[in-house]
Amino acid sequence: MSGVKNQSLSIHPDELKFQFELEKQICCDLRVSNTTDQHVAFKVKTTSPKKYFVRPNTGVIQPWDSCMIRVTLQAQQDYPPDMQCKDKFLLQSTKVAPETDIDELPQDTFNKDSGRTIEDSKLRVVYIFPQSGSTNAEDGYKSSDSNVSSTSIAVQRLRIEKDAAVRQAQQLQRELDTLKRRRSRRNSGFSFKFAIFVALIGIMVGLLLNLSLSSPPPTPGPVPSAPPTDSVPVTAPSTPPTE
């Protein structure tokens, strides 16, 4: 695939192609080459900053060196109408002093009012289906087939939606299995605690029974005898004499 060329940098490829899939992050790499004998600073901007993650989005490239920039499309929940994307990227570049560090760049480095010569390179975004197109041996991307009929696109869209539904069903099944395992662990924990409680009560009852059975019965004391009494001789009443 041909690239974008300005006075300082060469950018390959000349457009950002993303093999669009729902609920999935997709990456596209840009190779930016410095074609001069001077240090060149660059900065990447986009019309949709919330949809894309660019690293690095700024940098300094040494003479005749190159840098790889990775652009990541965040996971999307819906298909764009007719798979058409209006997003665009802008790569700005300017020459800087030798051995300039990225942290030392002034805030107005890419401001055209600063008097610097700012070069702009525009890149458009293209969404393609993973199944469409053939592999390009030169750059490793799949080119979209401009002659794909609307019926074929609809079929491919249904396939992708079906795959997304299957993945969602599998995720729900995994969550359901996790809830079942948690509930089972809670129930088993309750039964185990109840068994321990019953066992402790049984042990305490057994100890009490052993103590009551092993203690000796009380020994009966001597029976107290009746107190002694003094014996008094009993005499018959005397008979009065008779005359």
Side-chain angles (χ1 to χ4, degrees), residues 42-59:
F42 70 87
K43 184 174 184 178
V44 182
K45 298 180 180 180
T46 178
T47 57
S48 301
K50 293 183 179 181
K51 288 176 58 177
Y52 300 94
F53 185 76
V54 182
R55 283 296 179 271
N57 61 345
T58 57

Side-chain angles (χ1 to χ4, degrees), residues 26 80 99 103 109 111 126 151 166 169 176 178 198 219 231 238 243:
I26 310 163
E99 305 302 331
D103 296 330
T109 298
N111 189 346
V126 178
T151 302
V166 171
L176 180 61
T178 301
V198 172
T219 304
S231 59
S238 60
E243 293 181 357

Side-chain angles (χ1 to χ4, degrees), residues 77-166:
Q77 303 298 324
D78 300 305
Y79 286 100
D82 299 327
M83 287 294 289
Q84 299 298 317
C85 181
K86 297 181 180 180
D87 301 335
K88 292 181 175 59
F89 279 79
L90 176 66
L91 192 148
Q92 295 181 307
S93 60
T94 184
K95 296 177 182 178
V96 295
E99 305 302 331
T100 300
D101 188 80
I102 185 61
D103 296 330
E104 300 175 358
L105 290 176
Q107 294 183 354
D108 61 347
T109 298
F110 300 97
N111 189 346
K112 294 183 179 181
D113 296 335
S114 64
R116 294 176 176 272
T117 301
I118 310 297
E119 296 180 332
D120 295 338
S121 300
K122 297 181 180 180
L123 303 170
R124 72 187 188 101
V125 177
V126 178
Y127 292 159
I128 60 175
F129 285 105
Q131 295 87 351
S132 65
S134 58
T135 302
N136 190 317
E138 180 180 354
D139 53 27
Y141 288 91
K142 292 182 179 180
S143 59
S144 61
D145 187 359
S146 59
N147 297 323
V148 177
S149 63
S150 58
T151 302
S152 177
I153 293 177
V155 171
Q156 292 169 350
R157 181 178 300 178
L158 289 175
R159 288 179 180 175
I160 295 177
E161 292 177 353
K162 177 183 176 182
D163 293 340
V166 171

Side-chain angles (χ1 to χ4, degrees), residues 57-72:
N57 61 345
T58 57
V60 177
I61 306 177
Q62 298 181 4
W64 311 111
D65 200 358
S66 62
C67 174
M68 188 69 71
I69 301 175
R70 169 154 291 189
V71 181
T72 303

Side-chain angles (χ1 to χ4, degrees), residues 176-193:
L176 180 61
D177 294 339
T178 301
L179 291 176
K180 289 181 178 179
R181 288 194 295 270
R182 290 178 179 175
R183 181 177 298 177
S184 177
R185 285 197 295 268
R186 285 197 297 266
N187 293 337
S188 62
F190 175 77
S191 301
F192 182 70
K193 292 179 180 178

